[in-house]
Amino acid sequence: MSSPALTGASTVPLKTGIPPKELLDDLCSRFVLNVPKEDQQSFERILFLVEYAHWFYEDNSVENNPSLKSFTLKEFTSLMFNSCDVLKPYVPHIDDIFKDFTSYKVRVPVTGAIILDQTYERCLLVKGWKGTSWSFPRGKKNKDEEDHTCAIREVLEETGFDVSKLINKDEFIEMIFGPQRVRLYIVGGVKDDTPFAPRTKKEISEIAWQRLDELQPVYGDVISHGVTGLKLYMVAPFLKSLRSWISLHQPPVLPKPDAPVRAISMWKQGSSLVTTMKSSSRVSNSSNKGPAPGQSFRNFQLDVFPLLQAIETAFS
Ligand code: M7G
Ligand code: MG
């Protein structure tokens, strides 16, 4: 099981930063070849596997061997196809394969949750690792996964918070954006001193309670800006229905006159500090031992989490 090539720790540092062939072969065999046959049936599925290998490469190999270069998924896909014998014959079609994959990805339905605090004045938003936009915790459905199960999994992956006991399958707002259906379950009454921390690496850079009245305009586009300049992605279109829901439901706690008026950052990448509401002081978050690698496995039935855990154990 132990292979120095996978972590890249003992490979000879290459000036070019290009991963050595044995590392790419290892990633290919672990993430692409050693999976059930049904997961290798289409290039869309294979590219989800390559994406997983890419995350592992970025989060483990590059981190353990900084002389290795970071790549975009497209670049990494090209490296894998050129290096792996089984994928090599398809190199001439790689542009089409990648284009099909990206257009397939945006057709996969997305579910997540609108988490409200106890006063219904704030909602929990997450900021993407790469961009600067904030969105509700949400993500793509896996194959044969139910909507609410995906929402529970994605919220857990992106915030570390388990909504399985709080979610009501009938309480959601659903919108269609071009080819994509987005369903967000409304989970109200979450204590604002709840500890949050993502379980995926390099997907989420910050988690915060944002004030709903700062997320204007109500009739927003997919990409919009809140009144304080906050960049929002797929938030504004949900606000009108959310306000209607809030007007019909009594919050468990009435807003306090001395409540903080601004957003509250609950977790930030690279920082072990989080804000707690009770003390308003900066305290160490004991549950934040650093995020684990991604667990979402796209459109596969294969449960990759035990595999990743085994790999992590073997190399830690
Ligand atoms: P996603 O899981 O494809 O989207 O992640 P979803 O939650 O909407 O289903 C969105 C983006 O976050 C990806 O395109 C990556 O850029 C980044 N990302 C997500 N995960 C789980 C990881 C991960 O484990 N490692 C790295 N490096 N990036 C990730
Ligand atoms: Mg996600």
Side-chain angles (χ1 to χ4, degrees), residues 18-315:
I18 301 294
K21 182 161 170 33
E22 62 266 33
L23 172 56
L24 291 170
D25 282 348
D26 254 350
L27 291 169
C28 185
S29 96
R30 286 173 197 276
F31 286 93
V32 182
L33 303 179
N34 289 327
V35 302
K37 281 279 165 283
E38 62 174 283
D39 291 337
Q40 301 167 336
Q41 274 166 4
S42 69
F43 278 114
E44 276 129 8
R45 287 184 168 212
I46 288 172
L47 256 70
F48 276 119
L49 296 173
V50 171
E51 185 174 52
Y52 233 103
H54 179 225
W55 290 342
F56 189 89
Y57 171 77
E58 296 292 330
D59 301 347
N60 296 276
S61 311
V62 175
E63 259 179 37
N64 292 330
N65 184 350
S67 67
L68 290 172
K69 206 172 159 247
S70 270
F71 295 100
T72 63
L73 177 59
K74 192 169 183 190
E75 292 165 341
F76 184 80
T77 305
S78 175
L79 283 172
M80 287 281 269
F81 271 60
N82 279 287
S83 170
C84 303
D85 290 342
V86 286
L87 297 175
K88 231 180 207 158
Y90 305 100
V91 167
H93 310 289
I94 197 160
D95 284 344
D96 285 339
I97 290 170
F98 199 81
K99 221 185 282 165
D100 287 352
F101 174 65
T102 42
S103 76
Y104 176 78
K105 256 179 142 179
V106 297
R107 297 197 305 271
V108 177
V110 161
T111 73
I114 299 174
I115 296 173
L116 300 173
D117 69 1
Q118 292 183 296
T119 60
Y120 295 173
E121 287 197 307
R122 286 189 172 79
C123 66
L124 197 72
L125 294 187
V126 297
K127 192 163 143 192
W129 187 273
K130 285 176 189 158
T132 49
S133 305
W134 292 81
S135 54
F136 294 112
R138 32 154 282 165
K140 290 181 277 300
K141 279 175 67 168
N142 287 343
K143 187 170 184 284
D144 300 331
E145 189 174 42
E146 286 193 73
D147 284 340
H148 70 284
T149 314
C150 169
I152 293 166
R153 176 181 56 73
E154 284 288 344
V155 170
L156 192 61
E157 284 178 8
E158 296 185 2
T159 71
F161 184 58
D162 182 3
V163 291
S164 60
K165 301 236 160 46
L166 306 173
I167 216 163
N168 176 344
K169 280 197 240 176
D170 301 320
E171 226 148 40
F172 59 81
I173 303 171
E174 185 168 288
M175 308 207 73
I176 309 287
F177 300 93
Q180 194 161 49
R181 174 173 70 87
V182 180
R183 176 181 291 196
L184 299 176
Y185 292 87
I186 302 172
V187 175
V190 173
K191 288 174 85 176
D192 48 18
D193 60 356
T194 303
F196 299 105
R199 294 197 174 184
T200 52
K201 259 191 184 179
K202 300 192 182 177
E203 181 179 11
I204 302 301
S205 65
E206 195 173 350
I207 303 172
W209 286 111
Q210 301 286 356
R211 287 190 63 88
L212 281 170
D213 57 11
E214 290 185 349
L215 303 183
Q216 305 278 10
V218 170
Y219 298 97
D221 295 325
V222 169
I223 297 168
S224 69
H225 287 85
V227 285
T228 54
L230 208 65
K231 204 169 149 199
L232 304 168
Y233 178 66
M234 282 202 192
V235 170
F238 289 87
L239 295 178
K240 189 174 173 232
S241 303
L242 181 60
R243 281 174 208 285
S244 306
W245 185 92
I246 289 173
S247 68
L248 296 171
H249 294 78
Q250 181 74 21
V253 172
L254 288 175
K256 296 183 203 91
D258 63 339
V261 290
R262 301 302 305 272
I264 307 151
S265 181
M266 300 301 290
W267 180 88
K268 210 167 183 168
Q269 62 100 0
S271 163
S272 60
L273 301 176
V274 290
T275 304
T276 58
M277 286 293 295
K278 265 188 189 141
S279 61
S280 290
S281 61
R282 312 283 287 177
V283 296
S284 169
N285 177 9
S286 59
S287 69
N288 180 16
K289 296 195 183 93
Q295 295 162 38
S296 170
F297 205 46
R298 319 295 85 190
N299 284 17
F300 295 90
Q301 285 170 325
L302 174 71
D303 184 3
V304 79
F305 191 49
L307 172 71
L308 286 175
Q309 274 186 324
I311 293 171
E312 284 210 329
T313 312
F315 292 108

